[in-house]
Amino acid sequence: GQQVMQIPQYQHVQEGEDFTTYCNSSTTLSNIQWYKQRPGGHPVFLIQLVKSGEVKKQKRLTFQFGEAKKNSSLHITATQTTDVGTYFCAIKRSNTGKLIFGQGTTLQVKP
Amino acid sequence: SQTIHQWPATLVQPVGSPLSLECTVEGTSNPNLYWYRQAAGRGLQLLFYSVGIGQISSEVPQNLSASRPQDRQFILSSKKLLLSDSGFYLCAWSGQGGNNEQFFGPGTRLTVL
């Protein structure tokens, strides 16, 4: 069935360093969504990418959708302690409203 | 605006006891509803999916069941809990149609002892 691989599983950075998480699929995607889950909290929708090669920015976060629509990345510039949490990508299962979530990348930021 | 409620927030239950977790959504009609389970430090596993009242799709065979008695109410149940049922249970909703994002409730942290 459809799957999405997300790497790395964990990332520890010093505050101020950059961070990137990647999602890869073997099939062409209609869209990809990104969520953030703070420790002890619930996932919160960040953004959806739809177009090939799309790049969207939210302050220090940059989201990219690959030209072939098979991969995506989330890049955080100059991390802050408020960026701590687990970042999930999610893809839509064919012909349904269901999402398939990646395993997530847990970000730790040392002050 | 739309809101989603889950209760209880935390629950400690003995093995073999029944379970009922409730999720309600306000401010929207005919939402798609979802139950997920998240083991500690792990990803989200979709358990059940509903597109309307009384319509439940089960994703994985398990010790749990779901019901949707009203449009904006989604209930997760078990007759006899197992140790492996421990986890963080999240309810979510999305609008009908293709690319809508999902909105998650605050979750219920269940510990089965």
Side-chain angles (χ1 to χ4, degrees):
Chain A
Q2 275 184 295
Q3 288 185 37
V4 59
M5 302 300 295
Q6 190 172 355
I7 56 169
Q9 189 174 0
Y10 298 99
Q11 185 85 56
H12 295 249
V13 300
Q14 198 72 39
E15 190 172 22
E17 292 181 338
D18 292 355
F19 158 78
T20 306
T21 173
Y22 301 90
C23 278
N24 296 290
S25 169
S26 58
T27 59
T28 302
L29 306 171
S30 58
N31 65 69
I32 191 162
Q33 298 179 3
W34 285 93
Y35 292 78
K36 177 184 178 181
Q37 184 177 22
R38 293 181 186 274
H42 58 276
V44 174
F45 174 78
L46 294 176
I47 208 159
Q48 177 171 274
L49 304 172
V50 179
K51 298 178 184 175
S52 167
E54 189 170 16
V55 177
K56 287 188 176 180
K57 292 193 175 186
Q58 292 179 350
K59 297 182 180 177
R60 293 177 296 103
L61 276 62
T62 302
F63 303 84
Q64 289 191 314
F65 203 8
E67 292 289 342
K69 299 181 74 173
K70 289 186 176 181
N71 56 72
S72 181
S73 65
L74 158 58
H75 179 80
I76 303 179
T77 304
T79 55
Q80 299 175 0
T81 54
T82 53
D83 295 325
V84 164
T86 301
Y87 294 85
F88 294 97
C89 61
I91 63 174
K92 189 163 91 71
R93 195 177 298 183
S94 303
N95 301 320
T96 74
K98 303 177 206 178
L99 293 177
I100 301 169
F101 283 84
Q103 285 302 301
T105 297
T106 298
L107 172 64
Q108 294 281 1
V109 179
K110 293 182 241 181
Chain B
S1 63
Q2 302 90 356
T3 54
I4 178 168
H5 304 278
Q6 277 188 254
W7 63 90
T10 59
L11 192 59
V12 180
Q13 291 284 99
V15 168
S17 63
L19 173 75
S20 181
L21 302 181
E22 190 159 344
C23 171
T24 58
V25 181
E26 295 176 359
T28 187
S29 296
N30 198 26
N32 290 335
L33 295 172
Y34 312 83
W35 277 112
Y36 291 90
R37 176 169 57 206
Q38 186 177 36
R42 304 290 297 276
L44 296 160
Q45 180 187 32
L46 180 63
L47 301 176
F48 298 98
Y49 166 62
S50 173
V51 297
I53 296 174
Q55 300 179 62
I56 310 294
S57 170
S58 175
E59 289 296 302
V60 293
Q62 62 208 310
N63 185 40
L64 302 167
S65 62
S67 61
R68 184 170 177 174
Q70 300 180 50
D71 181 47
R72 287 168 287 179
Q73 184 185 29
F74 207 20
I75 298 171
L76 184 69
S77 304
S78 174
K79 292 182 180 177
K80 287 186 178 182
L81 284 169
L82 306 172
L83 287 174
S84 57
D85 291 324
S86 293
F88 190 40
Y89 288 84
L90 290 155
C91 180
W93 74 271
S94 71
Q96 296 284 347
N99 298 323
N100 292 331
E101 65 266 33
Q102 293 187 9
F103 300 92
F104 287 81
T108 295
R109 203 163 298 278
L110 171 67
T111 304
V112 182
L113 301 175

